[in-house]
């Protein structure tokens, strides 16, 4: 008869450095999740304030980000010396129809960041707005958000630039829909759940790795 292989059990070993690294990573993820929950409450308060801003008096247009919640959606105006470029984004017109929002990148002086103006909504992305600049009034908003998801989850994303949504549109375009707090997503709860999920996955992977490391060896 041949001898059957026997399992040789050894005391479970837990690698100190790897364990410390995993624990610190998991604690960091949990802390980021809690922070996102706190930001959710702050965002709800900011949106509640912004919802009443369109009916408040006009304020000066901010040239630098971030846009403070007390002026978000407030009436304002800006003087566009000249249009130096255009952005095309999906958008909605004031009459409820959808199309392509034309955002002018404006020069406002010899130096400075310039200004963004959502001048109107067209039916085709290649429409050429008949607008070269001038004084324009509307509401303060923010540029479309194309920041990477991970940078937003981690709170490291650059703040969005101010953008004026024009009250009136040039010929050939429809006025863009006025800003609304309902159009601003509050994704902080989802971000928090993602961080908690990442922490749970890290713990599960580490436990499986330990079990495999300490599995009985056959001799």
């Amino acid at each position: 008869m041949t001898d059957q292989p026997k399992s040789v059990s050894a005391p479970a070993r837990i690698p100190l450095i790897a364990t410390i690294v995993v624990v610190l990573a998991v604690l960091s993820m949990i802390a980021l999740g809690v922070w996102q929950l706190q930001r959710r409450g702050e965002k709800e308060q900011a949106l509640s304030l912004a919802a009443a801003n369109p009916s408040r008096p006009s304020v000066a247009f901010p040239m630098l980000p971030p846009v403070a919640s007390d002026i978000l959606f407030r009436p304002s105006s800006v003087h566009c010396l000249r249009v130096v470029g255009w952005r095309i984004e999906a958008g909605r017109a004031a009459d409820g129809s959808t199309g392509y929002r034309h955002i002018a990148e404006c020069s406002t002086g010899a130096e400075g960041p310039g200004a963004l103006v959502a001048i109107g909504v067209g039916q085709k992305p290649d429409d050429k707005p008949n607008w070269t600049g001038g004084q324009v009034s509307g509401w303060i908003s923010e540029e479309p958000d194309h920041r990477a998801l991970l940078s937003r989850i981690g709170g490291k994303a650059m703040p969005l630039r101010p953008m004026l949504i024009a009250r009136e549109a040039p010929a050939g375009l429809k006025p863009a829909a006025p800003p609304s707090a309902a159009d601003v997503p509050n994704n902080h709860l989802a971000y928090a759940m993602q961080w908690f999920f990442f922490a749970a996955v890290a713990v599960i992977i580490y436990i499986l790795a330990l079990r495999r490391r300490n599995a009985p060896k056959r001799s």
Side-chain angles (χ1 to χ4, degrees), residues 20-31:
I20 292 175
V21 171
V22 171
V23 169
L24 291 177
V26 169
L27 290 177
S28 298
M29 294 175 191
I30 293 174

Side-chain angles (χ1 to χ4, degrees), residues 80-87 103-109 112-116 131-133 161:
C80 178
L81 289 179
R82 65 182 183 278
V83 177
V84 297
W86 289 97
R87 299 185 189 181
I103 302 173
E105 299 178 348
C106 289
S107 170
T108 55
L116 298 175
W131 191 73
T132 58
R161 291 177 59 190

Side-chain angles (χ1 to χ4, degrees), residues 111-151:
E111 298 180 354
L116 298 175
V117 178
I119 197 64
V121 176
Q123 294 302 307
K124 299 178 181 179
D126 55 353
D127 284 339
K128 301 297 183 182
N130 184 24
W131 191 73
T132 58
Q135 188 73 17
V136 57
S137 62
W139 302 272
I140 298 170
S141 184
E142 294 175 323
E143 67 178 319
D145 193 352
H146 297 302
R147 299 173 296 180
L149 178 61
L150 285 179
S151 66

Side-chain angles (χ1 to χ4, degrees), residues 148-217:
L149 178 61
L150 285 179
S151 66
R152 283 182 283 165
I153 293 176
K156 297 181 179 179
M158 294 293 292
L160 297 174
R161 291 177 59 190
M163 182 177 74
L164 188 77
I165 297 180
R167 192 182 300 271
E168 299 179 356
L173 297 179
K174 296 179 179 180
S180 168
D183 298 331
V184 181
N186 188 354
N187 295 326
H188 294 293
L189 177 60
Y191 295 159
M193 293 301 102
Q194 286 176 322
W195 279 121
F196 295 146
F197 174 76
F198 294 156
V201 169
V203 171
I204 293 172
I205 291 175
Y206 184 63
I207 291 174
L208 293 176
L210 282 181
R211 291 184 61 182
R212 182 174 181 180
R213 174 189 177 94
N214 295 311
K217 298 181 180 179

